[in-house]
Structures are given as structure tokens and as C-alpha cells.
Amino acid sequence: MKRAVLLDVSAIMYRAYFANMNFRTKNEPTGAVYGFINTLLSIINEFKPDYMAAAFDVKRSSLKRTEIYSDYKSNRQSTPEDLVTQIPRIEEVLDAFNINRYKIEGYEADDVLGSLAKKIAKQNIEVIIITGDKDLSQLVEKNITVALLGKGTEGEKFGILKTSEDVINYLGVVPEKIPDLFGLIGDKSDGIPGVTKIGEKKALAIFSQYDSLEKIYDNIDNLKNIDGIGPSLIKNLINEKDIAFMSRELAKIFTDLDISVEESGLQYGMDRERFYSLCKVLEFKMFIKKLGLEEKPQNPTLFSLEDIREKKDSPKVVEETINEKIEFTKEINLNLTNRQLLIIDSESSLNEQKEYLTNYKKIASIYYESLGIILSTEDKDLYFPLNHGGLLAKNIDKNLVVNFISELDIKFISYNFKSLLNLGIKFKSMYMDMMIAYHLISSQTKIDPIIPITEYSTLEPKDFKTAFGKINVELITAQDFSKYLSDISIGILAIFNELNYLLKKRRFI
């Protein structure tokens, strides 16, 4: 079965913008464009589609839903100016890949995606919708899958909703009942009100007995028999019946818009010269090198406009054509399942791991942020808390850790060894600093390791702000910080093989 991928452009570009806010040339911001390209390449590499299309949103003032509810999406902040200026560039990226753009006045990207998906699926083509919006889960059916950005587990980039069971596990109801669910709980992100004081937990309790608004209101007197549903909630349901049904209408995705879809309009392929010119202007040296854009391809490549069909058989998106063949060697065999995460907060717990670490002769990553050090081997993570506060905090003596690590015969890799050297650690082997490796490959210097990890692996560790918000740093527990730090340290291990290969291929080492 052939496969079509549909892009929710707004979801991808917003995510890209906030992940790369500091990227810019002398003349313009470029972070959203950079992140969009990176995500697009990941999508093509992951799903290897035969067809692609992109859906755009329109201005809120033109939406048909505002005729139903004037405050629909009125709670949303205006698009950041730096992102607005990058939208034409994102359109240029899509044009360079010959991906058709769809936008219909009065309707949201969700409606465009829903209508495209239904029409394409009827042609016996598998459809995958790339989005960050849970609303689109209501479209899941036999030939339609929703891939949620950043929701993957066990190192996967995408959370895949392919069946009704997947949607039930994600939201608690089958796809076709999602609008009814939102009729009760609303959706703050879209300004859908829902019924006062009914959250997801109580709504799902009601849905376990009555799975539609009609059934709920037909049995309104029986709701008192459901645990947690008291008189005040029933009163809210009665008083806000119109709001519940209106909220359901707002949550329904249109799937019958008048969109002409032909196979020729869904085919795509990279126009190498056009994309190279764009990358040149935006100073995206990494993509120029990664895709070999300066070289004239001797054979059709994954993105060859001359023969789009070749992409299905291509094993790798970023393959380059060079005369000298550099063999890809896998020095790290990372175990992402059943890993141990240990907190080493005393001399006795350190001694318990001494034999293991003394005998470990492979590559390990080590990383430091303000509260402690994480050391990750192929199958285990050890966290050394140094600066946690609070009454129950327990830290290990820094000098004990520094001296212990300094004696280990491990091939250490890190992202910015300088911070660890400043603690006084004298490494026997600093095998590779991934920050320097990333700079050599991409011509960019990023203190934050999250960008190269998401770029060169399927892992998506959270940054500090996402993980902890505005909490007082000293009050973060060792358990919480160790998980946050281990995700980064594992990510450093995960990108080593690829970056090491690229460094060799480009003769940096």
C-alpha cells in the first residue's frame, strides 16, 4: 500500500521556533526554519512516504467556528513576530521539496487535514498525519494514522495512534467520541469552554456508563450513581447543556471540505538547486553538508526530483556521495530498555558500584549541571547529587566523587568537558567532546545539548525549563533531577556513533 504523509505546518513550525529561538543570521531569525527542515527530514526518513501535502491555518477572524462561538481561540497569544517573519521561508522550504500547500479560508488546518486524509484514504492509500494536536486523534481509522510530535516512548520521536485502542489508551475514548468528550471537558488551548468543573477524570467516569452527550442527558438523573459525580456537577451539566453541545460542535473536525486531490499533486521531491540556494542564504551549512547539496548526484537520491520513486528504497535520508567509502562503525551498543538509574549519594553506595565502573572499559558519557553529575554506560545511569537543598536532601561529598572519577579508565565522552574540568576532575581519557564534534559538523556552537541530540537521534530529552518550569532549583529532588539529567546523558551516548562517522567522513579525525 502506498503512503501519504500530511503535515500540520503550524504544529511543526511552533515546536521548531521554541526549540531554536536563538538561531539567526545577521539579517533574519532562522530557528523555526532550521527546526522545520530538521523535522521534515526526520519525517521523510521515518515514514518514507510516496506522497506529501502540507496544511496551513488561516487568521482566527475568518474562522467559521467564531460564528458559533465568538470567543473561539480568542485566548491564544498572537504569533511571535520572529516566527511570523519566518513563515514565508518555511513556505520556500515546502516549495523546494515540491510539497503542495493547502489552505482554505474560514477553516483550520485540522479541517484541511481531515478532508485531505479522508479523500486520500478512500483511494486505498495509507495516510499519516503529523501533528502535535490531540484533536486530530478523532480521525484515526483503518487507513488513517496520527503521529504526534514529541510523544514517542522508548526513544521514538512520534507517538503513533493507529487503532482505536491506541486512541483509548491516549485519551480514554474511541476516536469518534472525542468531540463528545471535549463537549464536557472543553479544550483550553482552543478556547472551547466545556462544562464548568468537569475535568478529564470525571468525564471519563461518566463516559464509562454513557458514551455520548445524548445518552448523558437522557440519563441525567442516573449520574448520581457514578462515583465522584455529585449534585453540583449534575447541576452544572443541566445549566450548561447548550454549552456542552456547542463545545462538541467546535471540537468536530470538518472532513468534507471541497478539496481537489490528485496523485500528481501529492508527489514530491527535493529541488536540489533551489534548496541549496535557500540553505546558502540562511547559512544552514549543516544541511548543505548533510545532504551533499554542493555535489552533483551521480545517481538518483532520496530527494531526486528526476525520479521520486527511488525514495521508497533508500535506506537513509542523509546519505552523501563521496569517492572514499568510510565504514560506519558502531562503538556504542546502547540499551534503551530496562536501564538502571541509581542515585549515588553516599560513600557506601559509591563503593557498591566501584567494581562495575573499574571493570568497565567501553565508552561512557558524563555530564554536569548545577545540582549534580550523571555518568551513563551502555546499560546503566549513575547520578551523583552534589548541590541539592531542602531538609530531606542528601548529597555526596564532591571531593569523593571527583577523586573517584579521576581514577577511572573509562573512555569518557561529554557535551562540554569544561564544566567537569572546572570541578577538578582529571580525566584519564576524554575520548570526545560532543559539543566540539557538533560544531565541526554543523558550524554552530550550542551550549545546550538538546539540539544535537534531537537532530542526530530519535531521543527527545526535555530542556530544564520544560522539565521544571520556574521551581526553585535547590528544591528539585535528586530523583527528579537524575531522570532529567540521565535523559540528556543517554542522548549524548546515542549521537556518538553518527557524529563519529560524520567526523571521519569529512576527515576531521
Side-chain angles (χ1 to χ4, degrees), residues 74 109 152 193 423:
S74 64
L423 292 176

Side-chain angles (χ1 to χ4, degrees), residues 382-425:
L382 295 88
Y383 176 63
F384 303 90
L386 300 178
N387 301 308
H388 288 269
L391 295 174
L392 300 178
K394 187 179 180 183
N395 296 308
I396 190 169
D397 180 76
K398 187 185 82 169
N399 292 328
L400 187 66
V401 176
V402 167
N403 293 332
F404 176 73
I405 294 174
S406 297
E407 291 299 317
L408 294 174
D409 288 315
I410 291 174
K411 299 176 184 176
F412 279 113
I413 63 174
S414 187
Y415 196 89
N416 188 14
F417 267 112
K418 185 177 179 180
S419 62
L420 291 155
L421 295 172
N422 288 339
L423 292 176
I425 299 175

Side-chain angles (χ1 to χ4, degrees), residues 212-452:
S212 71
L213 290 186
E214 285 80 6
K215 290 179 183 178
I216 290 168
Y217 281 98
D218 285 345
N219 294 275
I220 196 77
D221 294 332
N222 297 323
L223 298 186
K224 61 180 181 293
N225 298 322
I226 301 173
D227 288 343
I229 309 302
S232 63
L233 284 183
I234 294 173
K235 184 178 179 181
N236 290 345
L237 279 164
I238 293 170
N239 291 339
E240 299 178 21
K241 181 177 179 179
D242 291 344
I243 293 175
F245 279 90
M246 178 193 72
S247 296
R248 183 176 70 175
E249 286 305 304
L250 293 173
K252 283 182 181 177
I253 291 174
F254 291 90
T255 58
D256 57 356
L257 301 183
D258 186 16
I259 302 176
S260 177
V261 182
E262 296 181 6
E263 184 177 339
S264 59
L266 295 173
Q267 291 180 330
Y268 74 101
M270 186 177 71
D271 183 328
R272 292 175 64 87
E273 289 186 13
R274 192 171 186 177
F275 188 52
Y276 171 70
S277 298
L278 180 60
C279 288
K280 196 84 171 172
V281 170
L282 298 178
E283 300 176 9
F284 290 162
K285 296 178 183 178
M286 190 274 284
F287 292 125
I288 293 173
K289 291 180 180 178
K290 190 174 184 178
L291 298 173
L293 296 178
E294 289 179 319
E295 305 164 11
K296 188 172 182 178
Q298 297 175 357
N299 300 303
T301 66
L302 175 63
F303 297 122
S304 172
L305 192 57
E306 291 80 13
D307 189 355
I308 298 170
R309 293 169 297 178
E310 287 293 318
K311 66 181 174 294
K312 193 71 175 178
D313 303 319
S314 179
K316 194 175 183 184
V317 170
V318 298
E319 198 65 45
E320 297 178 20
T321 304
I322 59 174
N323 294 327
E324 182 185 357
K325 186 176 181 181
I326 304 296
E327 186 177 347
F328 183 91
T329 55
K330 197 172 183 181
E331 291 190 53
I332 296 175
N333 293 292
L334 189 58
N335 176 17
L336 291 174
T337 58
N338 302 317
R339 292 184 67 86
Q340 280 185 290
L341 173 55
L342 305 174
I343 297 176
I344 312 300
D345 57 9
S346 65
E347 186 171 3
S348 60
S349 59
L350 180 62
N351 288 334
E352 290 174 5
Q353 300 303 317
K354 185 172 288 187
E355 183 180 356
Y356 169 76
L357 290 173
T358 300
N359 293 326
Y360 187 86
K361 304 300 181 184
K362 302 176 184 178
I363 296 172
S365 66
I366 186 167
Y367 184 69
Y368 169 72
E369 281 190 19
S370 58
L371 297 180
I373 297 172
I374 190 79
L375 190 161
S376 295
T377 64
E378 289 184 348
D379 50 20
K380 186 185 292 189
D381 306 293
L382 295 88
Y383 176 63
F384 303 90
L386 300 178
N387 301 308
H388 288 269
L391 295 174
L392 300 178
K394 187 179 180 183
N395 296 308
I396 190 169
D397 180 76
K398 187 185 82 169
N399 292 328
L400 187 66
V401 176
V402 167
N403 293 332
F404 176 73
I405 294 174
S406 297
E407 291 299 317
L408 294 174
D409 288 315
I410 291 174
K411 299 176 184 176
F412 279 113
I413 63 174
S414 187
Y415 196 89
N416 188 14
F417 267 112
K418 185 177 179 180
S419 62
L420 291 155
L421 295 172
N422 288 339
L423 292 176
I425 299 175
K426 296 178 173 60
F427 292 97
K428 287 188 176 182
S429 173
M430 291 190 291
Y431 198 59
M432 185 179 290
D433 191 320
M434 306 307 288
M435 187 172 78
I436 296 174
Y438 179 67
H439 170 71
L440 290 172
I441 291 167
S442 68
S443 301
Q444 299 191 53
T445 301
K446 296 294 172 188
I447 299 298
D448 184 355
I450 304 296
I451 292 172

Side-chain angles (χ1 to χ4, degrees), residues 459-492:
L459 304 181
E460 290 201 351
K462 296 177 181 177
D463 59 30
F464 184 90
K465 187 176 180 180
T466 302
F468 301 110
K470 296 182 180 180
I471 190 173
N472 185 334
V473 175
E474 291 186 355
L475 298 181
I476 299 173
T477 66
Q479 287 77 13
D480 289 342
F481 201 73
S482 64
K483 179 65 174 70
Y484 155 74
L485 220 56
S486 67
D487 286 347
I488 296 174
S489 187
I490 293 168
I492 293 170

Side-chain angles (χ1 to χ4, degrees), residues 60-78:
R60 189 191 82 86
S61 58
S62 74
L63 294 176
K64 300 286 186 183
R65 286 179 177 85
T66 58
E67 297 173 7
I68 301 173
Y69 182 54
S70 60
D71 285 338
Y72 181 70
K73 287 196 171 181
S74 64
N75 60 328
R76 288 199 174 182
Q77 294 182 344
S78 58

Side-chain angles (χ1 to χ4, degrees), residues 197-208:
K197 292 189 177 179
I198 294 189
E200 188 175 325
K201 186 176 180 181
K202 294 191 187 312
L204 291 177
I206 295 173
F207 266 77
S208 68

